Coordinates of all heavy atoms in Angstrom, one line a residue:
D1 N 5.3 52.5 -19.5 CA 4.0 52.7 -18.8 C 3.7 54.1 -18.7 O 4.6 54.9 -18.2 CB 4.1 52.0 -17.4 CG 4.2 50.5 -17.4 OD1 4.3 49.9 -18.5 OD2 4.3 49.9 -16.3
I2 N 2.5 54.5 -18.9 CA 2.0 55.8 -18.7 C 0.8 55.8 -17.8 O -0.3 55.3 -18.2 CB 1.7 56.6 -20.0 CG1 2.8 56.6 -21.0 CG2 1.2 58.0 -19.8 CD1 2.5 57.1 -22.4
E3 N 1.0 56.2 -16.6 CA -0.1 56.1 -15.6 C -1.1 57.2 -16.0 O -0.8 58.3 -16.5 CB 0.4 56.4 -14.2 CG 1.3 55.2 -13.7 CD 1.8 55.4 -12.3 OE1 1.1 56.1 -11.5 OE2 2.8 54.9 -12.0
D4 N -2.4 56.9 -15.7 CA -3.5 57.9 -15.9 C -3.4 58.5 -17.4 O -3.5 59.7 -17.6 CB -3.4 59.0 -14.9 CG -4.8 59.8 -14.8 OD1 -5.8 59.2 -15.2 OD2 -4.7 60.9 -14.4
F5 N -3.3 57.6 -18.3 CA -3.2 58.0 -19.7 C -4.5 58.6 -20.2 O -4.5 59.6 -20.9 CB -2.8 56.8 -20.6 CG -2.7 57.0 -22.0 CD1 -1.7 57.8 -22.6 CD2 -3.7 56.5 -22.9 CE1 -1.6 58.1 -23.9 CE2 -3.6 56.8 -24.3 CZ -2.6 57.6 -24.8
H6 N -5.6 57.9 -19.9 CA -6.9 58.4 -20.3 C -8.0 57.9 -19.4 O -8.1 56.7 -19.2 CB -7.2 57.9 -21.8 CG -8.5 58.4 -22.3 ND1 -8.8 59.7 -22.6 CD2 -9.7 57.7 -22.5 CE1 -10.1 59.8 -22.9 NE2 -10.6 58.6 -22.9
A7 N -8.8 58.8 -18.9 CA -9.9 58.4 -18.0 C -9.5 57.5 -16.8 O -10.1 56.6 -16.5 CB -11.0 57.8 -18.8
G8 N -8.3 57.9 -16.3 CA -7.8 57.1 -15.1 C -7.2 55.8 -15.5 O -6.8 55.0 -14.6
K9 N -7.1 55.4 -16.7 CA -6.5 54.1 -17.1 C -5.0 54.4 -17.6 O -4.7 55.4 -18.2 CB -7.3 53.5 -18.3 CG -8.7 53.2 -17.9 CD -9.4 52.4 -18.9 CE -10.8 52.0 -18.4 NZ -11.4 51.1 -19.4
A10 N -4.2 53.4 -17.3 CA -2.8 53.4 -17.7 C -2.6 52.8 -19.1 O -3.4 52.0 -19.5 CB -2.0 52.7 -16.7
L11 N -1.6 53.3 -19.7 CA -1.2 52.7 -21.0 C 0.0 51.9 -20.8 O 1.0 52.4 -20.3 CB -1.0 53.8 -22.1 CG -0.4 53.3 -23.4 CD1 -1.4 52.5 -24.1 CD2 0.1 54.5 -24.2
V12 N 0.0 50.6 -21.1 CA 1.1 49.7 -21.0 C 1.4 49.1 -22.4 O 0.5 48.4 -22.9 CB 0.9 48.6 -19.9 CG1 2.1 47.7 -19.8 CG2 0.6 49.2 -18.6
E13 N 2.5 49.4 -22.9 CA 2.8 48.9 -24.3 C 4.3 48.5 -24.3 O 5.2 49.3 -23.9 CB 2.6 50.0 -25.3 CG 2.8 49.6 -26.7 CD 1.8 48.6 -27.2 OE1 0.7 48.5 -26.8 OE2 2.2 47.8 -28.2
E14 N 4.6 47.4 -24.8 CA 6.0 47.0 -25.0 C 6.4 47.4 -26.4 O 5.7 47.4 -27.4 CB 6.2 45.5 -25.0 CG 6.3 45.0 -23.5 CD 6.8 43.6 -23.5 OE1 7.7 43.2 -24.3 OE2 6.4 42.9 -22.6
L15 N 7.6 48.0 -26.5 CA 8.1 48.5 -27.7 C 9.6 48.1 -27.9 O 10.4 48.5 -27.1 CB 8.1 50.1 -27.7 CG 8.4 50.8 -28.9 CD1 7.4 50.5 -30.1 CD2 8.3 52.3 -28.6
S16 N 9.8 47.3 -28.9 CA 11.2 46.8 -29.1 C 12.0 47.9 -29.8 O 11.4 48.9 -30.3 CB 11.2 45.6 -30.1 OG 10.7 46.0 -31.4
R17 N 13.3 47.8 -29.6 CA 14.1 48.8 -30.2 C 14.0 48.9 -31.7 O 13.9 50.0 -32.3 CB 15.6 48.5 -29.9 CG 16.6 49.5 -30.6 CD 18.0 49.3 -30.3 NE 18.2 49.6 -28.9 CZ 19.4 49.4 -28.3 NH1 20.5 48.9 -29.0 NH2 19.6 49.7 -27.1
S18 N 13.8 47.8 -32.4 CA 13.6 47.8 -33.9 C 12.3 48.5 -34.2 O 12.2 49.2 -35.2 CB 13.7 46.4 -34.5 OG 12.7 45.6 -33.9
K19 N 11.2 48.2 -33.5 CA 10.0 48.9 -33.8 C 10.1 50.4 -33.5 O 9.6 51.2 -34.3 CB 8.8 48.3 -32.9 CG 7.5 48.8 -33.3 CD 6.4 48.1 -32.5 CE 5.0 48.6 -33.0 NZ 3.9 47.9 -32.3
F20 N 10.7 50.8 -32.4 CA 10.9 52.2 -32.1 C 11.7 52.8 -33.2 O 11.3 54.0 -33.6 CB 11.7 52.3 -30.8 CG 12.1 53.7 -30.4 CD1 11.3 54.6 -29.9 CD2 13.5 54.1 -30.6 CE1 11.7 55.9 -29.6 CE2 13.9 55.3 -30.3 CZ 13.0 56.2 -29.7
E21 N 12.8 52.2 -33.7 CA 13.6 52.8 -34.8 C 12.7 52.9 -36.1 O 12.9 53.9 -36.8 CB 14.8 52.0 -35.0 CG 15.8 52.1 -33.9 CD 17.0 51.2 -34.0 OE1 17.1 50.4 -34.9 OE2 17.9 51.3 -33.1
A22 N 11.9 51.9 -36.3 CA 11.1 51.9 -37.6 C 10.1 53.1 -37.5 O 9.9 53.8 -38.5 CB 10.4 50.6 -37.8
I23 N 9.5 53.2 -36.3 CA 8.4 54.3 -36.2 C 9.1 55.6 -36.3 O 8.4 56.5 -36.9 CB 7.8 54.1 -34.8 CG1 6.9 52.9 -34.7 CG2 7.0 55.4 -34.4 CD1 6.4 52.6 -33.3
N24 N 10.3 55.8 -35.9 CA 11.0 57.1 -35.9 C 12.0 57.3 -37.0 O 12.7 58.3 -37.0 CB 11.7 57.3 -34.5 CG 10.6 57.5 -33.4 OD1 10.0 58.5 -33.3 ND2 10.5 56.5 -32.6
A25 N 12.0 56.4 -38.0 CA 13.0 56.4 -39.0 C 13.1 57.8 -39.7 O 14.2 58.3 -39.9 CB 12.8 55.3 -40.0
K26 N 12.0 58.4 -40.1 CA 12.0 59.6 -40.8 C 12.5 60.8 -39.9 O 13.3 61.6 -40.4 CB 10.6 60.0 -41.3 CG 10.2 59.1 -42.5 CD 8.8 59.5 -43.0 CE 8.3 58.6 -44.1 NZ 7.0 59.0 -44.6
L27 N 12.1 60.8 -38.6 CA 12.6 61.8 -37.7 C 14.1 61.6 -37.5 O 14.8 62.6 -37.4 CB 11.9 61.6 -36.4 CG 10.4 62.0 -36.3 CD1 9.8 61.7 -35.0 CD2 10.3 63.5 -36.6
F28 N 14.6 60.4 -37.4 CA 16.0 60.2 -37.2 C 16.8 60.7 -38.4 O 17.8 61.3 -38.2 CB 16.3 58.7 -37.0 CG 15.8 58.2 -35.7 CD1 15.7 56.8 -35.5 CD2 15.5 59.0 -34.6 CE1 15.3 56.3 -34.2 CE2 15.0 58.5 -33.4 CZ 14.9 57.1 -33.2
Q29 N 16.3 60.4 -39.6 CA 17.0 61.0 -40.8 C 17.0 62.5 -40.8 O 18.0 63.1 -41.3 CB 16.3 60.5 -42.1 CG 16.6 59.0 -42.4 CD 18.1 58.8 -42.6 OE1 18.8 59.5 -43.3 NE2 18.6 57.6 -42.0
K30 N 16.0 63.1 -40.3 CA 15.9 64.6 -40.2 C 17.0 65.2 -39.4 O 17.4 66.3 -39.5 CB 14.6 65.1 -39.7 CG 13.5 65.0 -40.8 CD 12.2 65.6 -40.2 CE 11.2 65.9 -41.3 NZ 10.0 66.6 -40.8
T31 N 17.5 64.4 -38.4 CA 18.6 64.9 -37.5 C 19.9 65.2 -38.3 O 20.7 65.9 -37.8 CB 18.9 63.9 -36.4 OG1 19.4 62.7 -36.9 CG2 17.7 63.6 -35.6
L32 N 20.0 64.6 -39.5 CA 21.2 64.9 -40.3 C 21.1 66.2 -41.0 O 22.2 66.8 -41.4 CB 21.4 63.8 -41.3 CG 21.7 62.4 -40.7 CD1 21.8 61.4 -41.8 CD2 23.0 62.4 -39.9
E33 N 20.0 66.8 -41.2 CA 19.8 68.0 -41.9 C 20.6 69.2 -41.2 O 21.4 69.9 -41.9 CB 18.3 68.4 -42.1 CG 17.6 67.5 -43.0 CD 18.3 67.3 -44.4 OE1 18.7 68.2 -45.0 OE2 18.4 66.1 -44.8
P34 N 20.4 69.4 -39.9 CA 21.3 70.5 -39.3 C 22.7 70.2 -39.3 O 23.6 71.1 -39.4 CB 20.7 70.6 -37.9 CG 19.7 69.5 -37.7 CD 19.5 68.8 -39.0
V35 N 23.1 68.9 -39.3 CA 24.5 68.5 -39.4 C 25.1 68.9 -40.7 O 26.1 69.5 -40.8 CB 24.7 67.0 -39.2 CG1 26.1 66.6 -39.4 CG2 24.2 66.6 -37.7
K36 N 24.3 68.7 -41.8 CA 24.7 69.1 -43.1 C 24.9 70.6 -43.2 O 25.8 71.1 -43.9 CB 23.7 68.5 -44.2 CG 23.7 67.0 -44.3 CD 22.6 66.6 -45.2 CE 22.6 65.0 -45.2 NZ 21.4 64.6 -46.1
R37 N 23.9 71.3 -42.6 CA 24.0 72.8 -42.7 C 25.2 73.3 -42.0 O 25.8 74.3 -42.4 CB 22.7 73.4 -42.1 CG 21.5 73.4 -43.1 CD 20.4 74.3 -42.7 NE 19.9 74.0 -41.3 CZ 18.9 73.1 -41.0 NH1 18.4 72.4 -42.0 NH2 18.5 73.0 -39.8
V38 N 25.5 72.8 -40.8 CA 26.7 73.2 -40.1 C 27.9 73.0 -40.8 O 28.8 73.8 -40.9 CB 26.7 72.5 -38.7 CG1 28.1 72.6 -38.1 CG2 25.6 72.9 -37.8
L39 N 28.0 71.8 -41.5 CA 29.2 71.5 -42.3 C 29.3 72.5 -43.4 O 30.4 73.1 -43.7 CB 29.1 70.1 -42.9 CG 29.4 69.0 -41.9 CD1 29.2 67.6 -42.6 CD2 30.9 69.1 -41.4
Q40 N 28.2 72.8 -44.1 CA 28.2 73.8 -45.2 C 28.6 75.2 -44.7 O 29.4 75.8 -45.3 CB 26.8 73.8 -45.9 CG 26.7 74.7 -47.1 CD 25.4 74.7 -47.7 OE1 24.4 74.2 -47.2 NE2 25.3 75.3 -48.9
D41 N 28.0 75.6 -43.6 CA 28.3 76.9 -43.0 C 29.8 77.0 -42.7 O 30.4 78.1 -42.8 CB 27.4 77.2 -41.8 CG 26.0 77.4 -42.2 OD1 25.6 77.5 -43.4 OD2 25.1 77.5 -41.2
A42 N 30.3 75.9 -42.2 CA 31.7 75.9 -41.8 C 32.7 75.7 -42.9 O 33.9 75.8 -42.8 CB 32.0 74.9 -40.7
G43 N 32.1 75.4 -44.1 CA 33.0 75.1 -45.3 C 33.8 73.9 -45.1 O 34.9 73.7 -45.6
L44 N 33.2 72.8 -44.4 CA 33.9 71.6 -44.2 C 33.2 70.5 -45.0 O 32.0 70.5 -45.2 CB 33.9 71.2 -42.7 CG 34.7 72.2 -41.8 CD1 34.4 71.9 -40.3 CD2 36.2 72.1 -42.1
K45 N 33.9 69.4 -45.2 CA 33.4 68.2 -45.8 C 33.4 67.1 -44.8 O 34.1 67.1 -43.8 CB 34.3 67.8 -47.0 CG 34.5 68.8 -48.1 CD 33.2 69.0 -48.9 CE 33.5 70.0 -50.0 NZ 32.3 70.7 -50.4
R46 N 32.5 66.1 -45.0 CA 32.3 65.0 -44.0 C 33.7 64.4 -43.7 O 33.9 64.1 -42.5 CB 31.5 63.9 -44.6 CG 30.0 64.3 -44.8 CD 29.3 63.0 -45.1 NE 28.3 63.3 -46.1 CZ 27.4 62.5 -46.5 NH1 27.4 61.2 -46.0 NH2 26.6 62.8 -47.5
H47 N 34.5 64.1 -44.7 CA 35.8 63.4 -44.4 C 36.8 64.2 -43.6 O 37.8 63.7 -43.1 CB 36.4 63.0 -45.8 CG 36.9 64.1 -46.6 ND1 36.1 64.8 -47.4 CD2 38.2 64.6 -46.6 CE1 36.9 65.8 -48.0 NE2 38.1 65.7 -47.6
E48 N 36.5 65.5 -43.4 CA 37.4 66.3 -42.6 C 37.1 66.3 -41.1 O 37.8 66.8 -40.3 CB 37.3 67.8 -43.1 CG 37.8 68.0 -44.5 CD 37.6 69.4 -44.9 OE1 36.4 69.8 -45.2 OE2 38.6 70.2 -45.0
I49 N 36.0 65.6 -40.8 CA 35.6 65.4 -39.4 C 36.1 64.0 -38.9 O 35.8 63.0 -39.5 CB 34.0 65.5 -39.2 CG1 33.5 66.8 -39.8 CG2 33.7 65.4 -37.8 CD1 34.1 68.1 -39.2
H50 N 36.8 64.1 -37.8 CA 37.4 62.8 -37.3 C 36.9 62.4 -36.0 O 37.1 61.3 -35.5 CB 38.9 63.0 -37.2 CG 39.6 63.4 -38.5 ND1 39.7 62.6 -39.6 CD2 40.1 64.6 -38.9 CE1 40.2 63.2 -40.6 NE2 40.5 64.4 -40.2
E51 N 36.2 63.3 -35.3 CA 35.6 63.0 -34.0 C 34.3 63.9 -33.8 O 34.3 65.0 -34.2 CB 36.5 63.2 -32.8 CG 36.0 62.8 -31.5 CD 37.0 62.9 -30.4 OE1 37.8 63.8 -30.5 OE2 36.9 62.1 -29.4
V52 N 33.3 63.3 -33.3 CA 32.0 64.0 -33.0 C 31.7 63.9 -31.6 O 31.7 62.8 -31.0 CB 30.9 63.5 -33.9 CG1 29.5 64.1 -33.5 CG2 31.2 63.6 -35.4
V53 N 31.3 65.0 -31.0 CA 30.8 65.0 -29.6 C 29.3 65.4 -29.6 O 29.0 66.4 -30.2 CB 31.6 66.1 -28.7 CG1 31.0 66.1 -27.3 CG2 33.1 65.7 -28.7
M54 N 28.5 64.5 -29.0 CA 27.1 64.7 -29.0 C 26.6 65.0 -27.6 O 27.0 64.4 -26.7 CB 26.4 63.5 -29.6 CG 26.8 63.2 -31.0 SD 26.2 61.6 -31.6 CE 24.4 61.9 -31.6
V55 N 25.7 66.0 -27.5 CA 25.1 66.4 -26.2 C 23.6 66.5 -26.3 O 23.1 67.1 -27.2 CB 25.7 67.7 -25.7 CG1 25.2 68.2 -24.4 CG2 27.2 67.7 -25.7
G56 N 22.9 65.9 -25.3 CA 21.5 66.1 -25.2 C 20.8 64.7 -25.2 O 21.4 63.7 -25.4
G57 N 19.5 64.8 -24.9 CA 18.8 63.6 -24.6 C 18.7 62.6 -25.8 O 19.0 61.4 -25.7
S58 N 18.4 63.1 -27.0 CA 18.3 62.2 -28.2 C 19.6 61.6 -28.6 O 19.6 60.6 -29.3 CB 17.7 63.0 -29.3 OG 16.4 63.4 -29.0
T59 N 20.7 62.2 -28.2 CA 22.0 61.7 -28.6 C 22.3 60.4 -27.9 O 23.2 59.7 -28.3 CB 23.1 62.7 -28.3 OG1 23.2 62.9 -26.9 CG2 22.9 64.0 -29.0
R60 N 21.5 60.0 -26.9 CA 21.7 58.7 -26.3 C 21.0 57.6 -27.0 O 21.2 56.4 -26.6 CB 21.2 58.8 -24.8 CG 22.0 59.7 -24.0 CD 21.5 59.7 -22.5 NE 22.1 60.8 -21.8 CZ 21.5 62.0 -21.5 NH1 20.3 62.2 -21.9 NH2 22.2 62.9 -20.8
I61 N 20.2 57.9 -28.0 CA 19.5 56.9 -28.8 C 20.6 56.2 -29.7 O 21.2 56.8 -30.5 CB 18.4 57.5 -29.6 CG1 17.4 58.1 -28.7 CG2 17.7 56.4 -30.5 CD1 16.3 58.9 -29.4
P62 N 20.7 54.9 -29.6 CA 21.8 54.2 -30.4 C 21.6 54.4 -31.8 O 22.6 54.5 -32.5 CB 21.5 52.7 -30.0 CG 20.9 52.7 -28.6 CD 20.1 54.0 -28.6
K63 N 20.4 54.5 -32.4 CA 20.3 54.7 -33.8 C 20.8 56.1 -34.3 O 21.4 56.2 -35.3 CB 18.8 54.5 -34.2 CG 18.6 54.6 -35.7 CD 19.2 53.5 -36.4 CE 18.9 53.5 -37.9 NZ 19.6 52.4 -38.6
I64 N 20.6 57.1 -33.4 CA 21.1 58.4 -33.7 C 22.6 58.4 -33.7 O 23.3 58.9 -34.6 CB 20.6 59.5 -32.7 CG1 19.1 59.6 -32.7 CG2 21.3 60.8 -32.9 CD1 18.5 60.2 -33.9
Q65 N 23.2 57.7 -32.8 CA 24.7 57.5 -32.7 C 25.2 56.8 -33.9 O 26.2 57.3 -34.5 CB 25.1 56.8 -31.5 CG 24.8 57.5 -30.2 CD 25.0 56.7 -29.0 OE1 25.6 55.6 -29.0 NE2 24.5 57.1 -27.8
S66 N 24.5 55.7 -34.4 CA 25.0 55.0 -35.6 C 24.8 55.8 -36.8 O 25.6 55.7 -37.7 CB 24.3 53.7 -35.7 OG 23.0 53.8 -35.9
L67 N 23.7 56.6 -36.9 CA 23.6 57.5 -38.1 C 24.7 58.5 -38.2 O 25.2 58.7 -39.3 CB 22.2 58.3 -38.0 CG 21.0 57.5 -38.4 CD1 19.7 58.3 -38.1 CD2 21.0 57.1 -39.9
I68 N 25.1 59.1 -37.1 CA 26.2 60.1 -37.1 C 27.5 59.4 -37.4 O 28.3 59.9 -38.3 CB 26.2 60.8 -35.8 CG1 25.0 61.7 -35.5 CG2 27.5 61.7 -35.7 CD1 24.9 62.8 -36.6
Q69 N 27.7 58.2 -36.9 CA 29.0 57.5 -37.1 C 29.0 57.1 -38.6 O 30.1 57.3 -39.2 CB 29.0 56.2 -36.2 CG 30.3 55.5 -36.4 CD 30.5 54.4 -35.4 OE1 29.6 54.1 -34.6 NE2 31.6 53.7 -35.5
D70 N 27.9 56.7 -39.2 CA 27.9 56.3 -40.5 C 28.1 57.5 -41.5 O 28.8 57.5 -42.5 CB 26.6 55.5 -40.9 CG 26.6 54.2 -40.2 OD1 27.6 53.7 -39.7 OD2 25.4 53.6 -40.2
F71 N 27.4 58.6 -41.1 CA 27.4 59.8 -41.9 C 28.8 60.3 -42.1 O 29.2 60.7 -43.2 CB 26.5 60.9 -41.3 CG 26.5 62.2 -42.0 CD1 25.7 62.3 -43.2 CD2 27.2 63.3 -41.6 CE1 25.7 63.5 -43.8 CE2 27.2 64.5 -42.3 CZ 26.4 64.6 -43.4
F72 N 29.6 60.3 -41.0 CA 31.0 60.8 -41.1 C 32.0 59.7 -41.3 O 33.2 60.0 -41.3 CB 31.3 61.5 -39.7 CG 30.6 62.9 -39.6 CD1 29.6 63.0 -38.7 CD2 31.0 64.0 -40.3 CE1 29.0 64.2 -38.5 CE2 30.5 65.2 -40.1 CZ 29.4 65.3 -39.2
D73 N 31.5 58.5 -41.4 CA 32.4 57.3 -41.6 C 33.5 57.3 -40.5 O 34.7 57.2 -40.8 CB 33.0 57.4 -43.0 CG 33.7 56.0 -43.4 OD1 33.2 55.0 -42.9 OD2 34.6 56.0 -44.2
L74 N 33.0 57.4 -39.3 CA 33.9 57.4 -38.1 C 34.3 56.0 -37.8 O 33.5 55.1 -37.8 CB 33.2 58.1 -36.9 CG 32.8 59.6 -37.1 CD1 32.0 60.0 -35.9 CD2 34.1 60.5 -37.3
P75 N 35.6 55.8 -37.3 CA 36.0 54.5 -36.9 C 35.4 54.1 -35.6 O 35.4 52.9 -35.3 CB 37.5 54.6 -36.9 CG 37.8 56.1 -36.7 CD 36.7 56.8 -37.3
K76 N 35.0 55.1 -34.8 CA 34.4 54.8 -33.4 C 33.2 55.6 -33.2 O 33.0 56.6 -33.9 CB 35.5 55.1 -32.3 CG 36.0 56.5 -32.3 CD 37.0 56.6 -31.2 CE 37.5 58.1 -31.2 NZ 38.4 58.4 -30.1
P77 N 32.3 55.2 -32.3 CA 31.1 55.9 -32.1 C 31.3 57.3 -31.6 O 32.4 57.6 -31.0 CB 30.4 55.1 -31.0 CG 31.0 53.7 -31.0 CD 32.4 54.0 -31.5
P78 N 30.4 58.2 -31.8 CA 30.5 59.6 -31.3 C 30.6 59.6 -29.8 O 30.1 58.7 -29.1 CB 29.2 60.3 -31.7 CG 28.6 59.4 -32.8 CD 29.1 58.0 -32.5
V79 N 31.3 60.6 -29.3 CA 31.4 60.8 -27.8 C 30.1 61.4 -27.3 O 29.6 62.4 -27.9 CB 32.6 61.7 -27.5 CG1 32.7 62.0 -26.0 CG2 33.9 61.1 -28.0
H80 N 29.5 60.8 -26.3 CA 28.3 61.4 -25.8 C 28.2 61.4 -24.3 O 27.1 61.7 -23.7 CB 27.0 60.6 -26.3 CG 27.0 59.2 -25.9 ND1 27.7 58.2 -26.5 CD2 26.3 58.6 -24.9 CE1 27.5 57.1 -26.0 NE2 26.6 57.2 -25.0
K81 N 29.3 61.2 -23.7 CA 29.3 61.3 -22.2 C 30.0 62.6 -21.8 O 31.0 62.6 -21.1 CB 30.0 60.1 -21.6 CG 29.3 58.7 -21.9 CD 30.0 57.6 -21.3 CE 29.4 56.3 -21.7 NZ 28.3 55.8 -21.3
V82 N 29.3 63.7 -22.1 CA 29.8 65.0 -21.9 C 28.8 65.7 -21.0 O 27.6 65.6 -21.3 CB 30.1 65.7 -23.2 CG1 30.5 67.2 -22.9 CG2 31.1 65.0 -24.0
N83 N 29.3 66.5 -20.1 CA 28.4 67.3 -19.3 C 27.7 68.3 -20.2 O 28.4 69.2 -20.7 CB 29.1 68.0 -18.1 CG 28.2 68.8 -17.2 OD1 27.4 69.6 -17.7 ND2 28.5 68.7 -15.9
P84 N 26.3 68.3 -20.3 CA 25.7 69.2 -21.2 C 25.9 70.7 -20.8 O 26.0 71.5 -21.7 CB 24.2 68.9 -21.1 CG 24.1 67.6 -20.4 CD 25.4 67.4 -19.7
D85 N 25.9 71.0 -19.5 CA 26.1 72.4 -19.1 C 27.5 72.9 -19.6 O 27.6 74.1 -20.0 CB 26.0 72.6 -17.6 CG 24.5 72.3 -17.2 OD1 23.6 72.5 -17.9 OD2 24.4 71.8 -16.0
E86 N 28.5 72.1 -19.4 CA 29.8 72.5 -19.8 C 29.9 72.6 -21.3 O 30.6 73.5 -21.8 CB 30.9 71.4 -19.4 CG 31.1 71.4 -17.9 CD 32.0 70.3 -17.4 OE1 32.7 69.7 -18.3 OE2 32.1 70.0 -16.2
A87 N 29.2 71.7 -22.1 CA 29.3 71.8 -23.5 C 28.6 73.1 -24.0 O 29.1 73.7 -24.9 CB 28.5 70.6 -24.1
V88 N 27.5 73.5 -23.4 CA 26.9 74.7 -23.8 C 27.8 75.9 -23.4 O 27.9 76.8 -24.3 CB 25.5 74.9 -23.1 CG1 24.9 76.3 -23.2 CG2 24.5 73.8 -23.6
A89 N 28.4 75.9 -22.3 CA 29.3 77.0 -21.9 C 30.5 77.1 -22.9 O 30.8 78.3 -23.3 CB 29.8 76.8 -20.5
V90 N 31.1 76.0 -23.2 CA 32.2 76.0 -24.1 C 31.8 76.5 -25.5 O 32.4 77.3 -26.2 CB 32.9 74.7 -24.2 CG1 33.9 74.6 -25.3 CG2 33.6 74.3 -22.9
G91 N 30.6 76.0 -26.0 CA 30.1 76.4 -27.3 C 29.8 77.9 -27.3 O 30.1 78.6 -28.3
A92 N 29.2 78.4 -26.3 CA 28.9 79.8 -26.2 C 30.2 80.7 -26.2 O 30.3 81.7 -26.9 CB 28.1 80.1 -25.0
A93 N 31.2 80.2 -25.5 CA 32.5 80.9 -25.5 C 33.1 80.9 -26.9 O 33.7 82.0 -27.3 CB 33.4 80.3 -24.5
I94 N 33.1 79.8 -27.5 CA 33.6 79.7 -28.9 C 32.9 80.6 -29.8 O 33.5 81.4 -30.6 CB 33.6 78.2 -29.4 CG1 34.6 77.4 -28.6 CG2 33.9 78.2 -30.9 CD1 34.5 75.9 -28.9
Q95 N 31.6 80.6 -29.8 CA 30.7 81.5 -30.6 C 31.0 82.9 -30.3 O 31.1 83.7 -31.2 CB 29.3 81.1 -30.5 CG 28.3 81.8 -31.5 CD 28.6 81.4 -32.9 OE1 29.0 80.3 -33.2 NE2 28.4 82.3 -33.8
G96 N 31.1 83.2 -29.1 CA 31.4 84.6 -28.7 C 32.7 85.1 -29.2 O 32.9 86.2 -29.7
G97 N 33.8 84.2 -29.3 CA 35.0 84.5 -29.8 C 34.9 84.8 -31.3 O 35.6 85.6 -31.9
I98 N 34.1 84.0 -32.0 CA 33.9 84.2 -33.4 C 33.2 85.5 -33.7 O 33.6 86.2 -34.7 CB 33.0 83.0 -34.0 CG1 33.9 81.7 -33.9 CG2 32.6 83.3 -35.4 CD1 33.1 80.5 -34.2
L99 N 32.2 85.9 -32.9 CA 31.5 87.1 -33.2 C 32.4 88.3 -32.8 O 32.4 89.4 -33.4 CB 30.2 87.2 -32.4 CG 29.2 86.0 -32.7 CD1 28.0 86.1 -31.8 CD2 28.7 86.2 -34.2

């Protein structure tokens, strides 16, 4: 529901998961592009990744999780219950160490 969508009227629309996934299929596929670039930059192959940690709002979308799991052929879904602030801090520390 979106209150006051237009001219004081609300927008109420039911959206099934399958319809949501169909509408966003191209966008979801685009999420793999930065993943591929990171692998290339790191000199790694998909099969060398055994666990994926995902952080952020879109990572909670089941289709995104399944795309990542399928892309890496992971036996279990990606980990996504991580504190985003801690993940950013750890990532920055790692990057700082690399630089």
Side-chain angles (χ1 to χ4, degrees):
D1 294 357
I2 303 174
E3 293 181 26
D4 198 23
F5 177 71
H6 178 70
K9 295 187 180 188
L11 173 67
V12 178
E13 181 70 28
E14 277 195 37
L15 186 63
S16 68
R17 179 179 287 180
S18 61
K19 187 173 181 179
F20 173 76
E21 290 175 355
I23 290 169
N24 292 290
K26 288 181 183 179
L27 290 173
F28 291 164
Q29 284 298 320
K30 281 184 169 185
T31 64
L32 294 176
E33 294 307 316
V35 173
K36 292 173 185 176
R37 280 195 306 273
V38 166
L39 286 174
Q40 184 178 10
D41 291 351
L44 295 170
K45 304 289 183 204
R46 290 189 223 189
H47 70 274
E48 295 177 286
I49 306 300
H50 305 289
E51 185 176 30
V52 174
V53 176
M54 299 172 63
V55 178
S58 297
T59 65
R60 294 183 190 100
I61 298 172
K63 185 63 176 179
I64 299 291
Q65 295 171 13
S66 67
L67 280 172
I68 294 296
Q69 184 174 3
D70 293 345
F71 179 79
F72 287 107
D73 194 27
L74 298 171
K76 59 183 182 176
V79 176
H80 64 278
K81 296 186 190 279
V82 174
N83 180 316
D85 295 330
E86 289 176 14
V88 169
V90 170
I94 291 169
Q95 190 63 32
I98 291 170
L99 297 175

